[in-house]
Every structure is written in structure tokens, then in C-alpha cells.
Amino acid sequence: MSTKGFLENQITAIGENVLTKVNGLGHFTNFTLKTLYWTFKPPFRIKLLFDQMYFMGNKSVFIIFLTSIFTGAVFAFQIYLGMKAISTDSFIGPIVTIALAKELAPVLSGLVVAGRCGAAMAAQIGSMKVTEQIDALEVMGINSYQYLAVPRILGAMLSMPLLSGIFLLVGYGGSWLIGVKVIQIDEILYTSKISDFMNLGMVVEGLIKATVFGYLIGIIGTYHGFNVTGGAEGVGKGTNMAVVWGMITVLVIDFFLTSFLAKIL
Amino acid sequence: MSEYSVEFRGLTKKFGDAVILNNLNFGIHKGKITTILGFSGAGKTTLMKHILGLVEPTEGEVIVLDTVIGSLTELELREFRRNFGMVFQYAALFDFLTSFENVAFPLREFTKMKEDEIKAKVMSLLESVGIAPEAASRLPSELSGGMRKRVGLARGLALDPHIMLYDEPTSGLDPITTHVVYDLMRDTHRKNEYRGFTSIIISHDIHATLKYSDYIVFMEKGRVVEHLDVENFKKSENPVIRRFLEL
Ligand SMILES: Nc1ncnc2c1ncn2[C@@H]1O[C@H](COP(=O)(O)OP(=O)(O)OP(=O)(O)O)[C@@H](O)[C@H]1O
Ligand SMILES: [Mg+2]
């Protein structure tokens, strides 16, 4: 093959690749807009929403509990190791709690929920797709976005701040155990230092992040469910994509959200 | 009022460059059982999706119960779909609901029936398709293929549709169960015949088709090769149909 032919082929391949990606993005945007539209159209399916919240809470609360208590504990311990040399270990409380409130609780909860619930959304909707259950809904005149996507997206949006709140409280408990019971910092000192440095805005920042992450996890999970093609294999692929993109999105958006919230809060 | 419950006028459907349905012009007789027969990929399911308005024609129009499907708004179309009952190839029961709740689903969504009325209606529907009361509380994953089809049929019938659509209702069933399901479809048809009930069946099964249908539409590569009543279909000279008949 001539160099020219080779180059042409390469350029065509790159072009096609870009087009597929752009097309996919358009598809995703379209899906996002549709779900948004159907969120505000009656009938409002409150029961489905609560079912989803219950399901999500049930699926992740135990893992959140374990993750948070150990995160709080190990973080407190690491800070202690770093700071005892300069005798500033009374700062353990505020450092750990602020980090939990602003970053660790929403981000780690987001990763857990993306792994547990984002995956479940894609798997449930994907298998409904390949077994024609979604067609069955449509044939009965029910909008499948409204019935399947909206409750999951809103459910994730509302569950995430709750789970993140639990993460913060339990994580604080973990750090308190290490700080007060193991390292033996005076209990009064430990808590008063926290109130010196922390404010409600920090907690609010974390909760806002958690809500945004919940929305994104919901959109990404349901999108990959609706776009499953082929049989069981397709469902597996969709589930995998939902987890991977859910986690990446949480981490990337966290960066931008942090700089944005720093400006307005 | 037309003698047809469904009519295709110049219906053409393309997916990209591929012509899946090629200028179809025919009607499906009201009050009759019509089977759409054809090889895999002939376009049968695509044709059915046009009747339901799940797919839009590239050219031409589809008229159902004297209504041009393409002229309906999205909302009107959703409402209009209550005229249809559909049984899917693998039943497509909602896997998160019990048999009872699957059949109750359309009633809860579209009627203002009270809980005890729903219960009575669902149990009588389940009984009419031969599902025992104790199976009502089972999830689809706990039912056999044949039972799922029956529950699917009961769900399709819940809103007393005017047109019943079956996409390969017996694929994956043993020969005996196949005939049970066919008997059930025919009984359902006979019971509702007085109100102009139309049954449209997609099938590969030539023997059952000859036994149970009034009319047969034979499709090949997006075209209708033959559209005849059963007696004349058996006499068709078309070589493709002869091959199908000799199977
Ligand atoms: N959404 C779509 N996009 C692209 N091609 C499609 C689509 N739906 C169907 N087709 C193509 O249209 C052709 C007819 O499909 P259809 O499902 O109508 O066939 P069928 O007669 O029902 O076959 P089978 O007996 O296997 O179910 C096939 O070649 C299929 O690949
Ligand atoms: Mg088909």
C-alpha cells in the first residue's frame, strides 16, 4: 500500500472514531434532556421513587458503614503519625472531619453507589431491554423513561446526600475512637477544636456534591441500561460501562465542583 | 367503517440503506385470525411495530381502526395503544412483579378500578388462560415458559383490546404446549369475535398456522408474496410457498 493510501486510511479511521464519539455524546445529551422532560410531566410516580431509594439505601448502607468507619479511623491515625513530631496532634479532629465533610464522604459514597447502584440500574434496565419488557411498557402506553429512568435518577439524587451524611457521621465516629480512645487526646479538646475550625458551609458543600454525584450516577447508570444491545453479554457490558463511567465521572466532576463551590460558598 | 382493522398503504421502511418493508399495500380483515408467515428477517416484527406505532414508516401510512397512526400526537398514540393487546415472543413479563401484579398492571395504570374489582378481574383472567390461583403470587422467573406465555396473554387481554398481536407466541415451546397455546388464542378470539376482535399472529409454524388461521400473509424480503384465506393458500402455486408447505 502506498504511503498516501495508508495515511488516508488512518485519517479516515480517526475521523470515524471522532464521529462515533460525537454521535455518542449527542445520544447521551438527548437521553439527558428526555429524562429531564419526563421528570416534570405527570403522573409523578412517588411510590417508585421511594422503592428505588429504599433499594439503593439497602444495597449500599452496610458498605458505606464499613468504608466510612475505617476511612475515619485510618485517616486519623495517619494524621497523628504525621503531626505528633511537631506536637500538633490536637488538630486531628478538625482535619479529619473537614476532609470527611468536604471530600471523603461525598466522593467515597459516590464510588460505592456507582459500584452498587449504578451497576444495578444498568443491569435491571438492560435486561428489561433485551427481554422486550421495555417494548411491553411502551405498548401499554407507558413512557419507559418516565417509568424506569426518572425514579432511579431522582432516587440516586436523594439517597446520595443521605448516604454521604451517614458516611460523615460514622467516619467521624471512627476518627473519634482513634483520637480519643486510642491516642488519648482529651475529649473536650478534640471536639472543641473541631467547632473552632469547621462550619456548616463545609457540610453543605459535601451534601451538594453528593446530590450532584447522585444525579450523574443515575443518568449514567440508566443510560447504559437503555443502550444495551444483544443478549446477556450486552447487559454485562452495559453494567460494566455504567460502573466505570460512573466512578470516573464522580472523580472528575469532583475537581470542577470543588473549584466552583469554593467561589460561591 | 372499513372491513379491515389494519391497513397498509404504500408502506416502505428503510433502516439506513436497507429496505426492510417494500411498498406494502394490504389490509388485515376485521374479526379474523390472520397469520403473518415468513422466514427469519422477512420483516414481520418490523411490520407489527408499525401497527403499534413503535416504528415510523419511511414512506406510506398505516391505518388502524380507521385512524392514521402517523397523524396522532405522542400522547394520543399512547392512549390509542390501549386498543392493542400484545403477547411478546418471550412473554416479556415484568420480572419485578408477580403473575398477579403483571396482569393487574394495565388495570392499575389505565382504569380507576378498586382493589377488589382488580382482584376479581385478574383472577378470572388468569383462570381463563389456565393459570392456577396458587401460581398468581409467583414471579416470572418461577414459571415455566408455557405458563409465562399464558400470563402474558392474560395481561394482553386485561383492557379488552380490539386487536391482539402475537409475536411468535409458541417459539421455544414443546409441540403439545404449542397446541395448547394455539387453542387458547383461538378460544380467546372466539369469545371476543362478536365485537370485531382481530387476532394477528406472527409465526414460523406452518402446520399450526394452517390449522388455526382464517387468512395468511406470506412475506419474503420485505414484500408480501401471497395474502389469501387458508383454503386458497394451500393451493398456492408460488414455489417459495410450496417449499414452505412441504416442510
Ligand atoms: N431497529 C433496527 N435497525 C436496523 N435494522 C433493523 C432494525 N429492526 C430490524 N432490522 C432489520 O430488519 C430486518 C427484518 O427484521 P424483523 O425483526 O422485522 O424480521 P422478522 O421477520 O421478525 O424475523 P424473525 O423471524 O427472525 O423474528 C432484519 O434484517 C433486521 O436486521
Ligand atoms: Mg421477529
Side-chain angles (χ1 to χ4, degrees), chain A residues 33-111:
Chain A
L33 293 178
K34 271 195 203 144
T35 52
L36 204 60
Y37 172 79
W38 283 102
T39 303
F40 297 102
K41 291 277 281 191
F44 302 108
R45 300 181 181 273
I46 305 296
K47 178 169 182 304
L48 289 181
L49 173 61
F50 281 115
D51 284 352
Q52 283 303 323
M53 287 179 68
Y54 178 78
F55 174 79
M56 288 176 200
N58 210 5
K59 233 177 148 60
S60 30
V61 77
F62 180 67
I63 303 182
I64 295 269
F65 198 88
L66 274 183
T67 316
S68 56
I69 196 160
F70 282 103
T71 303
V74 82
F75 196 35
F77 196 57
Q78 288 285 16
I79 304 275
Y80 166 71
L81 293 179
M83 294 190 119
K84 71 174 176 190
I86 48 171
S87 309
T88 43
D89 42 349
S90 61
F91 283 96
I92 293 174
I95 291 177
V96 174
T97 318
I98 290 171
L100 277 171
K102 293 174 67 144
E103 285 295 335
L104 294 173
V107 170
L108 293 180
S109 307
L111 296 181

Side-chain angles (χ1 to χ4, degrees), chain A residues 228-250:
Chain A
V228 163
T229 49
E233 201 184 319
V235 178
K237 223 170 105 191
T239 309
N240 197 0
M241 295 286 275
V243 175
V244 171
W245 283 108
M247 289 186 172
I248 292 177
T249 307
V250 165

Side-chain angles (χ1 to χ4, degrees), chain A residues 38 41 43 45 48 124 127-128 131-144 147-148, chain B residues 49 52 54 74-75 78 81-82 84 86 88-90 92-96 105-106 109-110 155 167:
Chain A
W38 283 102
K41 291 277 281 191
R45 300 181 181 273
L48 289 181
Q124 288 162 347
S127 75
M128 289 185 72
T131 55
E132 295 184 301
Q133 290 176 57
I134 291 185
D135 283 332
L137 274 178
E138 293 285 341
V139 168
M140 286 185 218
I142 292 170
N143 185 286
S144 53
Y147 193 83
L148 296 171
Chain B
K49 288 189 174 166
L52 293 161
L54 289 173
E74 157 121 21
L75 224 64
R78 289 187 182 283
R81 291 208 185 114
R82 289 178 56 178
F84 304 110
M86 167 107 195
F88 288 87
Q89 192 160 352
Y90 297 100
L93 297 180
F94 300 126
D95 51 20
F96 49 92
F105 188 90
E109 284 292 326
F110 293 112
R155 182 178 71 181
D167 192 357

Side-chain angles (χ1 to χ4, degrees), chain B residues 15 20 39-46 168 204:
Chain B
F15 284 117
I20 306 299
F39 298 105
S40 214
K44 306 181 296 291
T45 301
T46 308
E168 300 186 26
H204 287 135

Side-chain angles (χ1 to χ4, degrees), chain B residues 170-190:
Chain B
T170 58
S171 62
L173 298 183
D174 63 78
I176 308 260
T177 316
T178 295
H179 277 274
V180 174
V181 170
Y182 263 103
D183 281 336
L184 204 57
M185 293 194 286
R186 184 175 56 189
D187 292 347
T188 304
H189 188 85
R190 298 278 171 265

